Every structure is written in C-alpha cells, then in structure tokens.
Amino acid sequence: MLHVETTSAQSPLKRLSLVWNETESMRLNSIAETRTVPKNGYIYKAGEPAKCLYFIKQGRVKITTRSPEGKELIKAILHNDDMLGELCLAGETIHTDSAKAINQEAKIQVIPFDALLKLLSEQPELSLKVILQLGSRLDYSNRRFESLVFQDARTRIVEFLKDSANTMGIKVGYEVLLKQFLTHQDIANITATSRQTVTTVLNDLKKQNLIYIYRKNILIRDISKLK
C-alpha cells in the first residue's frame, strides 16, 4: 500500500510521497548512486540529456523553467521522498526544466533510466508506486493551473502557504512551522505574482495575527483560519 506523507493540515493541493519498504529500498539502492548537491547547486539543467530518475532523500529542490526573456517560473517545490526527472518515463530525452537544491544541501538518489526500467519490469509493485506518484503529480499540476487561471493573487499566495504547510510543515498543536522557507521572490515565481504583492499579502496576514515571520521561518497560527 502506498504511504501518504502529509501533515494533518489539509489542502486541496495534496501530493503523494513515495515510501519504500525495506526490500524495495535495498533493490533501489543496488542500482542507485547517492549524490550530495550543495545549496543552490543543480541536480540537472534544461538542455541536458534526460537519462536518469531522481529521488530526494534529504533536502528541498525547486523545479524551474525560464521564459525567452529570462524570467524564472517555479513549477514545483519538492522535498524528502519526492521524485523528479520523471518525464524520462514518458519519452523525454532532453530536460526542458532545471532542478536546483534550495536552502541547504540535498542528498539525491540517482537511478539510470535503463536500470530502473529493468527493475520495474521485475517488481510490478514498484511500478504501481511510481505510477501513483506520477498521477498525483499530474493532478497537483492541474490544480495549480486552475489556481493560476481562476484565483486572484492573494488567494494564490494563501493557498500556496496552505499547501506548503500540508507538504512540508512541522505541526505543533494548531500551529504549523514552515522552517527555512522560500524568499518572497521565490513565492512570487511559483504563484505568478510580484515580490511586492507577496510582501503586501504576508504583512497583511501578520497584522491579522494569522502568521508570524522570523528570519526565514513562517509560523502559521491556525491553518483553518488562514484565508
């Protein structure tokens, strides 16, 4: 059964995280290389060959693309047990986006595509877990697209905070801590807003005592009241 990693803070943008049992972990480790990527280092860049699948063992990674004018768009923020580079499973041979470690160094498990295909053919249960996460990521992307189209800037920022609380927050009672969170510019890049708008919305939430910000941490007082 696929384990779902979330906090109890609920969000419509919930994602599944892959959790392997001991036997599966041993099989994956036998074909994988573990790399340590420094803070702000790239796991891969757009334009490089897409020959591997990656699993995050520790840390946070942002998936980005750039417009012809050079403006960055953050497509996703991924963390422990998340998968990236998965489009190689759909036939992508060249990366169209980039993956970069943020906030701290990341430990990444790298599995060559050919070796992974052989393992999945031998272990159908592993294939099911990968397919379920791919479906979850597609659903997440669709919901984010709907958010960009139908919601105003404030709502997009608030919903992103809720989603982040759900996927990477540390829950203590009614409060959820987003530790070493993103910069205002990163939040703007993932919500298709401006840095000034993000600052305005966060300051307004602070005035309402819905969040507390210190250093790079954001404490959500009560996620059920965040709106």
Side-chain angles (χ1 to χ4, degrees), residues 53-69:
L53 195 66
Y54 306 84
F55 295 100
I56 303 172
K57 306 308 294 180
Q58 179 184 316
R60 250 180 271 173
V61 173
K62 66 178 180 180
I63 307 299
T64 66
T65 189
R66 289 190 177 275
S67 70
E69 295 76 27

Side-chain angles (χ1 to χ4, degrees), residues 142-158:
N142 286 339
R143 289 174 181 269
R144 276 208 61 223
F145 177 73
E146 291 174 1
S147 170
L148 294 175
V149 172
F150 296 120
Q151 294 178 339
D152 60 30
R154 178 189 173 87
T155 302
R156 294 201 300 273
I157 293 166
V158 169

Side-chain angles (χ1 to χ4, degrees), residues 8 17-18 20 43 50 91 105 116 149 208 213 215 217 225:
S8 59
S17 291
L18 287 174
W20 313 107
I43 292 92
E105 70 176 23
L116 179 68
V149 172
Q208 297 179 61
I213 301 176
R215 297 180 181 175
N217 305 304
K225 297 179 180 178

Side-chain angles (χ1 to χ4, degrees), residues 28-29 32-34 53-55 57 107-111:
L28 286 168
N29 290 338
E33 173 193 352
T34 299
L53 195 66
Y54 306 84
F55 295 100
K57 306 308 294 180
K107 293 191 182 300
I108 307 295
Q109 200 171 40
V110 185
I111 302 178

Side-chain angles (χ1 to χ4, degrees), residues 115-127:
L116 179 68
L117 284 184
K118 183 175 184 298
L119 178 60
L120 294 181
S121 68
E122 297 169 350
Q123 298 283 326
E125 189 173 334
L126 284 176
S127 298

Side-chain angles (χ1 to χ4, degrees), residues 54 97 130 138 164 225:
Y54 306 84
D97 52 32
V130 171
L138 178 60
S164 299
K225 297 179 180 178

